[in-house]
Amino acid sequence: MNYSILKNLWKQSLNNRSFLLGIVLSLIMILTGLISIFWTPFPVEIFDISHKLEGPSAKHWLGTDHFGRDMTSMLMAGAWNSMLVSLFAISLGAGIGIPLGVFAAGKSGWVEELVMRFNDFAFAFPALLTAVMISAIYGPGIINSVIAIGIFNIPVFARISRGSALVIYKLEFILAARISGKNEFQIAFEHILPNILSVLIIQSTIQFALGILAEAGLSYLGLGTQPPQPSWGKMLSEAQTMMFIAPQMAILPGIAIVLTVLGLNLLGDGLRDILDPRLRDKN
Amino acid sequence: MKIINKMHTKILLICCSILIISGAAFASKKHLTMGMVLEPPHLDPTAGAAAAIDEIVYANVFEGLTRINQNAEVLPALAESWSISRNGLKYTFKLQKGVKFHDGSIFDSNDVVFSLNRARSEKSTNAQKSLFSSIKEVMAQGTNTVIVTLKNPTGNFLFNMGWGDAVIVDSSSANSNKSNPIGTGPFTFKRWVKGDRIELGENKSYWGQKPALKTATFKIIPDPAAAVAALMAGDADAFANFPAPEMASQFQSDSRFTVKVGSTEGETILSTNNKQKPFNDLRVRQAIAHALNSKEIIDGAMFGFGTPIGSHFAPHHAAYINLTGTYPHNINKAKKLLTEAGLPDGFSATLKLPPPSYARRGGEIVASQLRKVGIKLEIIPVEWAQWLDQVFKNKDFDLTIVSHTEPMDIGIYTRPKYYFQYQNPSFNSIIEELNVTSSTKKRYALMGAAQAILSKDAVNGFLFQLAKLGIWNKNVIGLWENSPVQANDLTGVSWKK
């Protein structure tokens, strides 16, 4: 890539409102999560029951929950846990799904058929149900929820990478690469992957958002992150019976989830507009 | 104008019909829907320890020789009257006449002999065999008299006979009571929709005074939030044990509901596997006792509903002694004891938590309190069936939280195979002496000594006495405020007109 293309991309990014809003929201979430590793206003594992269910104050900016834990600290630590689960799950899904998809596109014939039908099979199960099933068999916990969410990401990545790779495989420069003696592996790595990268990045942002939702869903059901580790989904389920006495307990994690998912989706949309060459030409 | 008039008449008509229909429904309200958190594993009270069984069938479907009312008084039931020999060893029960089981078979003295012998036999699966341990012989005298001879005078024998575990069953239906309970009570078992509800119908040929209610439904609602919604929407008329104490104030200020805070026999304890390392070390258990802060647990998990306890004994009982000060909350002492036990940096263990909110929420607080002295607990939420299997039956646990809701159950600490695996010969001898003592004063002294030993040995973390938070529709009257035995006795329940 030369300098002018980068400059062009930068200009487009600044002009794309959904990208800007998306990246700001996502960065806020990522930063909050990162900060929570080193510092939270209060420790989240120590309860202070005498100060339970307090409203916002100078000491507790967003109030406290039913165990007297600081809501700000809980939300921060929850952001990190959500991110971590989603990130590992996406890596798992992409790490297996992308090679499978590219391999299927390159091989064609019965290999492709087998891989893709297997994908359809995995796809046919509702994602959350798969996750519930895995947690039910192997017990609830943060690692099992990573595996569960990761598994339903495999077919997503396999499909999208196969579809995009098929287009690239038909182009002349692949033929040229073959003639020049490159093997399948080199072609996939040096020519296919760089050319489908933008699609994969966009898909990853969207899957990241879905992963955060799935993590919240699993924790809400008690199958994901286990106490005392805070998680947005668990905070929501705990808030259920407190709705009438401490509505902030439900509203705050709800807002956190909405903003994060919205931010990541806007980011994905924006990236698509910027990275898609066809749309770029129209602008 | 005409059109409007026509519409008016129509609306009026609809309103009137709704009024008439609902009025009729109110006047004839003979049904009660009771919400329950736990579903019973089966419905035979003579073959299971689960409180949920008795909470459905006690006094409603099954009856014993005696019955216990909400003030813990012993009243006659299937035994119309009784006399006790002077030495306190021979009980002569005169039975009610004209009593029939739900399947039509006649109740007589043979059924009593059968039931009591079945409960105390070697093969018996009764969860409370100790209730019958003092019986030497049960004999029928004619069809309406039963004579029970005891090995030694037993002070609360009549109370024991009023437990759900001592109900009278028919020999022909005894083995199928788990799925199709056949008793003599005013309600018959109608239907069990697993995971949803258990329905009771009317026993048209009931021998005694017929209750105001004709039918009843026990609806299983495990989720506290759903319990709140069910009460608010009227899907459940009552919750004898409401699972969301945080909502109590909300219901108190709502004129549609009655909120009653009563006492239960539920000692809520941090059960400790006394044979498991490092809990077999008294100093470790003492350290845990020092690290726990009951007040915080009651406030945090139960929103203030509950009484601190220092041993395994109900505070409303006359023989109760206050032992909450044996190991007061003191983090430094706890740390010192752990150091003495060779664990200066603490240790890791698991805490298995059954579904009730006292356990799940209380468990999180306990974990947070023990963390302060270096004990790191991994919280493992388990379903009720898993808990019974893993913890209660197979003793595969370090720590767990559960409420022991049987009345006067301090004797469980003598059972060598009981799940917390405690053994202390001097405690056993006190209970043995208690079982053969009939003087109230002496009994109370022995009960006090027994409480003191358990407290000193820090057998389990003694957290609090569970309060009975009952919430029901304000038009429902006659539900129990206290739970001296595990029961939802519907015989005295009715709807206000």
Side-chain angles (χ1 to χ4, degrees):
Chain A
M1 265 191 232
N2 60 39
Y3 179 69
S4 74
I5 294 182
L6 274 180
K7 201 174 166 189
N8 194 15
L9 272 181
W10 176 247
K11 222 173 120 189
Q12 288 214 25
S13 311
L14 288 182
N15 285 332
N16 190 316
R17 252 181 270 163
S18 69
F19 174 80
L20 280 181
L21 189 58
I23 198 131
V24 168
L25 285 175
S26 308
L27 277 179
I28 290 177
M29 185 245 184
I30 291 167
L31 276 178
T32 336
L34 286 176
I35 292 170
S36 82
I37 311 174
F38 308 104
W39 176 83
T40 48
F42 288 86
V44 288
E45 284 162 14
I46 301 297
F47 300 174
D48 181 10
I49 301 212
S50 52
H51 290 106
K52 68 174 180 197
L53 298 175
E54 280 179 3
S57 64
K59 194 176 161 205
H60 298 287
W61 303 331
L62 295 174
T64 58
D65 74 353
H66 60 302
F67 287 146
R69 287 174 295 190
D70 180 55
M71 285 296 282
T72 321
S73 314
M74 292 284 286
L75 286 173
M76 286 173 70
W80 175 243
N81 282 334
S82 293
M83 241 165 61
L84 212 61
V85 168
S86 197
L87 200 68
F88 275 104
I90 301 302
S91 314
L92 186 75
I96 298 175
I98 296 173
L100 267 184
V102 174
F103 178 68
K107 276 282 170 198
S108 70
W110 67 270
V111 179
E112 180 183 21
E113 200 62 22
L114 190 75
V115 171
M116 293 329 286
R117 290 303 79 79
F118 179 74
N119 254 317
D120 289 341
F121 180 73
F123 221 46
F125 280 99
L128 204 61
L129 197 69
T130 319
V132 169
M133 193 174 72
I134 289 174
S135 302
I137 297 171
Y138 297 106
I142 203 159
I143 292 171
N144 284 337
S145 60
V146 166
I147 295 171
I149 300 167
I151 282 179
F152 83 70
N153 270 305
I154 295 174
V156 176
F157 280 101
R159 271 196 177 185
I160 195 133
S161 49
R162 171 182 165 266
S164 326
L166 274 179
V167 179
I168 312 287
Y169 267 118
K170 293 215 176 76
L171 298 179
E172 282 89 357
F173 74 94
I174 300 293
L175 198 61
R178 281 225 169 88
I179 292 166
S180 69
K182 289 197 172 171
N183 62 24
E184 283 299 319
F185 187 76
Q186 285 172 314
I187 291 174
F189 236 81
E190 291 168 17
H191 295 295
I192 306 291
L193 267 187
N195 280 298
I196 62 170
L197 197 60
S198 59
V199 181
L200 294 179
I201 289 174
I202 295 161
Q203 192 63 34
S204 301
T205 2
I206 291 162
Q207 289 308 116
F208 193 60
L210 288 178
I212 281 172
L213 269 185
E215 195 277 334
L218 281 181
S219 303
Y220 176 84
L221 296 172
L223 300 170
T225 314
Q226 292 301 311
Q229 283 301 316
S231 138
W232 292 343
K234 192 171 169 292
M235 288 169 79
L236 274 182
S237 84
E238 281 168 349
Q240 270 191 110
T241 52
M242 319 264 178
M243 280 282 276
F244 297 95
I245 39 179
Q248 83 269 14
M249 269 184 71
I251 292 169
L252 291 173
I255 290 178
I257 293 174
V258 168
L259 286 183
T260 307
V261 174
L262 182 75
L264 286 167
N265 275 320
L266 286 175
L267 181 66
D269 278 357
L271 277 175
R272 192 193 57 214
D273 294 350
I274 296 163
L275 294 176
D276 192 326
R278 274 160 297 177
L279 288 174
R280 195 190 307 163
D281 291 343
K282 270 182 205 160
N283 294 345
Chain B
M1 222 25 209
K2 248 189 181 173
I3 299 167
I4 292 171
N5 268 345
K6 253 190 187 169
M7 263 179 66
H8 270 171
T9 0
K10 263 188 191 168
I11 291 170
L12 204 72
L13 259 174
I14 292 170
C15 286
C16 281
S17 50
I18 287 173
L19 266 177
I20 291 165
I21 293 166
S22 61
F26 274 123
S28 64
K29 194 139 191 198
K30 303 264 181 219
H31 178 85
L32 184 89
T33 304
M34 166 82 77
M36 285 181 74
V37 176
L38 296 172
E39 181 164 26
H42 57 80
L43 292 171
D44 184 356
T46 66
I53 303 171
D54 295 280
E55 282 167 7
I56 291 171
V57 298
Y58 184 80
N60 300 329
V61 176
F62 287 106
E63 293 170 309
L65 289 173
T66 61
R67 63 184 282 183
I68 295 156
N69 73 358
Q70 68 160 318
N71 301 321
E73 292 159 335
V74 179
L75 300 177
L78 287 175
E80 175 190 275
S81 61
W82 51 80
S83 59
I84 308 168
S85 69
R86 212 167 259 180
N87 59 7
L89 288 177
K90 209 167 106 183
Y91 284 70
T92 310
F93 292 100
K94 231 178 123 216
L95 305 182
Q96 293 281 0
K97 284 175 201 149
V99 179
K100 273 185 190 166
F101 283 97
H102 298 154
D103 60 357
S105 47
I106 308 283
F107 159 83
D108 61 20
S109 52
N110 288 326
D111 294 310
V112 178
V113 175
F114 167 77
S115 299
L116 295 186
N117 283 339
R118 174 172 172 263
R120 68 197 188 95
S121 80
E122 296 244 320
K123 282 185 283 175
S124 157
T125 51
N126 199 296
Q128 307 294 340
K129 272 178 100 167
S130 59
L131 295 178
F132 313 94
S133 61
S134 61
I135 298 179
K136 193 166 132 200
E137 193 183 25
V138 187
M139 247 176 23
Q141 198 179 60
T143 52
N144 285 313
T145 310
V146 172
I147 299 168
V148 179
T149 319
L150 304 183
K151 291 174 198 153
N152 39 54
T154 306
N156 43 7
F157 182 69
L158 288 171
F159 187 88
N160 289 352
M161 290 302 104
W163 279 49
D165 304 82
V167 295
I168 304 303
V169 296
D170 188 24
S171 54
S172 64
S173 56
N175 291 327
S176 57
N177 275 341
K178 283 188 177 180
S179 55
N180 183 27
I182 302 278
T184 56
F187 295 95
T188 57
F189 168 75
K190 214 159 80 185
R191 200 148 76 109
W192 183 355
V193 183
K194 289 254 158 103
D196 183 48
R197 65 185 188 277
I198 289 158
E199 290 172 14
L200 302 184
E202 185 189 6
N203 176 6
K204 291 211 170 91
S205 54
Y206 183 57
W207 58 272
Q209 198 200 344
K210 288 197 180 171
L213 293 176
K214 280 202 160 46
T215 54
T217 303
F218 289 89
K219 205 158 168 40
I220 318 294
I221 306 174
D223 182 44
V228 173
L231 268 181
M232 290 276 190
D235 290 343
D237 302 315
F239 258 92
N241 293 296
F242 191 67
E246 61 272 27
M247 284 295 294
S249 56
Q250 190 77 21
F251 281 105
Q252 256 158 354
S253 58
D254 192 327
S255 62
R256 291 175 296 163
F257 298 100
T258 304
V259 178
K260 293 277 181 198
V261 184
S263 60
T264 72
E265 300 297 321
E267 292 85 17
T268 310
I269 56 175
L270 176 69
S271 296
T272 309
N273 194 338
N274 278 252
K275 281 224 172 111
Q276 184 91 3
K277 267 188 178 172
F279 305 107
N280 54 355
D281 189 329
L282 173 65
R283 290 167 299 191
V284 171
R285 297 198 304 270
Q286 286 171 327
I288 293 176
H290 275 304
L292 292 172
N293 180 346
S294 294
K295 200 192 158 296
E296 233 181 59
I297 298 170
I298 295 169
D299 274 350
M302 306 310 292
F303 282 70
F305 296 106
T307 318
I309 50 172
S311 185
H312 197 102
F313 214 77
H316 53 262
H317 195 286
Y320 171 79
I321 50 174
N322 187 351
L323 293 162
T324 49
T326 314
Y327 298 111
H329 176 59
N330 187 332
I331 289 177
N332 289 333
K333 263 193 187 161
K335 279 185 180 160
K336 213 178 128 215
L337 280 162
L338 278 179
T339 314
E340 281 170 26
L343 296 160
D345 301 322
F347 58 93
S348 298
T350 59
L351 174 62
K352 290 193 173 168
L353 300 176
S357 55
Y358 69 74
R360 290 275 165 95
R361 251 189 234 151
E364 283 196 53
I365 301 172
V366 165
S368 143
Q369 290 175 351
L370 294 194
R371 188 183 300 270
K372 287 179 193 162
V373 299
I375 302 173
K376 291 166 279 300
L377 294 184
E378 186 201 343
I379 292 174
I380 304 175
V382 291
E383 290 307 313
W384 205 242
Q386 280 177 305
W387 188 88
L388 284 170
D389 184 56
Q390 293 176 11
V391 178
F392 196 69
K393 214 170 121 204
N394 292 319
K395 305 164 188 93
D396 172 22
F397 76 108
D398 292 336
L399 296 168
T400 183
I401 293 181
V402 76
S403 203
H404 284 256
T405 51
E406 292 86 0
M408 276 303 294
D409 54 355
I410 197 166
I412 55 178
Y413 287 78
T414 60
R415 301 184 191 173
K417 283 183 189 158
Y418 208 58
Y419 75 107
F420 38 67
Q421 309 199 75
Y422 168 70
Q423 259 174 320
N424 183 341
S426 57
F427 178 82
N428 293 0
S429 63
I430 288 180
I431 297 295
E432 261 165 48
E433 202 186 331
L434 177 69
N435 286 339
V436 296
T437 308
S438 51
S439 137
T440 309
K441 206 178 155 196
K442 265 192 197 153
R443 285 180 65 86
Y444 284 7
L446 286 167
M447 286 179 196
Q451 292 172 54
I453 290 185
L454 294 186
S455 182
K456 225 171 173 191
D457 276 354
V459 185
N460 296 310
F462 299 106
L463 304 178
F464 59 88
Q465 190 75 16
L466 202 65
K468 178 170 144 61
L469 177 61
I471 303 183
W472 47 82
N473 188 307
K474 73 166 193 321
N475 290 320
V476 174
I477 43 176
L479 278 167
W480 285 13
E481 280 175 39
N482 303 315
S483 294
V485 286
Q486 305 154 339
N488 285 312
D489 182 350
L490 298 179
T491 55
V493 177
S494 60
W495 286 86
K496 255 188 242 170
K497 283 278 156 63

